[in-house]
Structures are given as structure tokens and as C-alpha cells.
Amino acid sequence: MPAGASVSPLTQPEQAGLVLSLVNTAAGDRDDELADAGGLRGWLDGAGYPDADVTDADAAVVREVRDCLQLLMLAHSGDDAATRDRVQAAETRLARTADQVPVTLLITATGVSLRAPGTGMWAALGAVLAGVADLDRAGVWERVKACRNDICHAGFFDRSRNGSAVYHGPNCASMVSMRAYRRRRKSDDG
């Protein structure tokens, strides 16, 4: 993009892709893609950070980062599960992880960005956290949300004009509306 050009807040930035990819390894009713070292290897390969030496313990570290990010994204959606105490605990865990990941500045004539050098699990986590920092710098981190549907929690980029989307798609919105309708009918029939 040419210097001075601005990006619409409705356009998903490139940096959101890796963040959403990680969060969506546990979205919906699918099995957890990071349940073990093999699943983590598959995600790392797909993300461009191959690491043949990961262990089940490494998968647990990545799951913890993912779950913390998902909670912050639920907070962006105004979900009741994102209580102040849970959000603060997630922020603390992410800060602890950020201290361990390699992140460097890439300074060019057109701007500055964060990069995670190398390959492997720690470089991938560095790239995810650098992506979050870049999204915040771009003023769109709060548009990166997790679906408020309890059985989904898929990560998505809110492209609504006013930033008010709380479901990643119309199916989840309909499902939540239908559950609320059934609860109301049941209590009215009560």
C-alpha cells in the first residue's frame, strides 16, 4: 500500500489471519486441533512455522495462549464470560508468554512493524502476539472478536460499520435467538 494511504476499518488486516487461525483451532463443536503435539505440528506447518520437535507440553502452552486470546476477544464481543478477573488473569498469562517470544522491529521507509524471526513454536507465538500488537496500533484490535454463541466462540473480524457484531455469522445469531425464544416460551408456559 502506498505511503499515506489508509485502510478501511471494515477491511480485515493481514495480521488478523494468524491470530484468528490460532483461536479457531478450538472453535465450535470440533475437536481441539491442538490437543497434542501432532495437532500442534499440523497447525504450525499450516501457519508457516514448521517445528518437528514440539511436545504435548508445548501444545499445552499454545492452548493456554489461544484460550487467553479467545477470552480477550470474547471481551471485545461483550460476552458475560469475560469477567474482569478472568480478563486480568488472561492478560497476565499473555504478558508472561510475551516475555519468552522472539519479536523484533522491522523498520522501513514506509513504517515500522513487529516480526517474529525464525521458525517453530516460539516464533509462531511471537508472530501471533506481534499481530495483536500491530492490530492494536492500527486501531482495530477491538474488532477482532469471538462469537458470543456459547457453542461456537469462533474468532472473526467485525466488519460491521459500527463495530457491533457479536456473532461470527447469521447461523450463530439465529441459533442464539431461537434458544432465547424457547426459554421465554418455556417460562411463559411455566
Side-chain angles (χ1 to χ4, degrees):
M1 175 177 2
S6 65
V7 175
S8 166
L10 305 181
T11 302
Q12 178 177 311
E14 177 184 328
Q15 302 91 327
L18 187 60
V19 176
L20 293 172
S21 167
L22 176 60
V23 169
N24 288 335
T25 60
D29 57 0
R30 299 186 317 234
D31 291 335
D32 188 340
E33 293 177 35
L34 303 178
D36 57 23
L40 176 57
R41 266 192 296 284
W43 179 78
L44 290 169
D45 286 347
Y49 294 90
D51 189 341
D53 297 326
V54 294
T55 65
D56 288 345
D58 294 329
V61 169
V62 177
R63 283 193 309 270
E64 182 179 52
V65 169
R66 177 202 61 207
D67 294 348
C68 289
L69 288 171
Q70 185 180 60
L71 182 65
L72 297 183
M73 292 163 58
L74 281 168
H76 295 167
S77 297
D79 192 280
D80 293 338
T83 64
R84 183 186 334 202
D85 290 343
R86 290 186 71 207
V87 167
Q88 286 176 339
E91 291 169 342
T92 299
R93 286 193 298 269
L94 287 170
R96 195 172 44 235
T97 301
D99 287 341
Q100 299 175 345
V101 297
V103 176
T104 61
L105 288 173
L106 178 62
I107 302 169
T108 67
T110 58
V112 178
S113 61
L114 298 171
R115 295 287 178 243
T119 62
M121 181 192 90
W122 289 106
L125 287 177
V128 167
L129 297 181
V132 169
D134 285 343
L135 290 165
D136 184 62
R137 247 179 1 108
V140 296
W141 169 231
E142 289 188 354
R143 283 186 172 270
V144 182
K145 300 179 176 183
C147 182
R148 282 177 46 174
N149 184 354
D150 291 344
I151 62 172
C152 179
H153 292 312
F156 67 99
F157 185 80
D158 180 355
R159 290 184 174 93
S160 67
R161 287 211 180 275
N162 62 0
S164 65
V166 295
Y167 303 109
H168 88 280
N171 288 344
C172 280
S174 295
M175 190 181 303
V176 170
S177 293
M178 185 56 71
R179 281 196 308 254
Y181 170 75
R182 287 181 184 144
R183 275 193 306 272
R184 284 192 308 273
R185 293 263 333 246
K186 188 175 181 180
S187 68
D188 289 346
D189 294 342

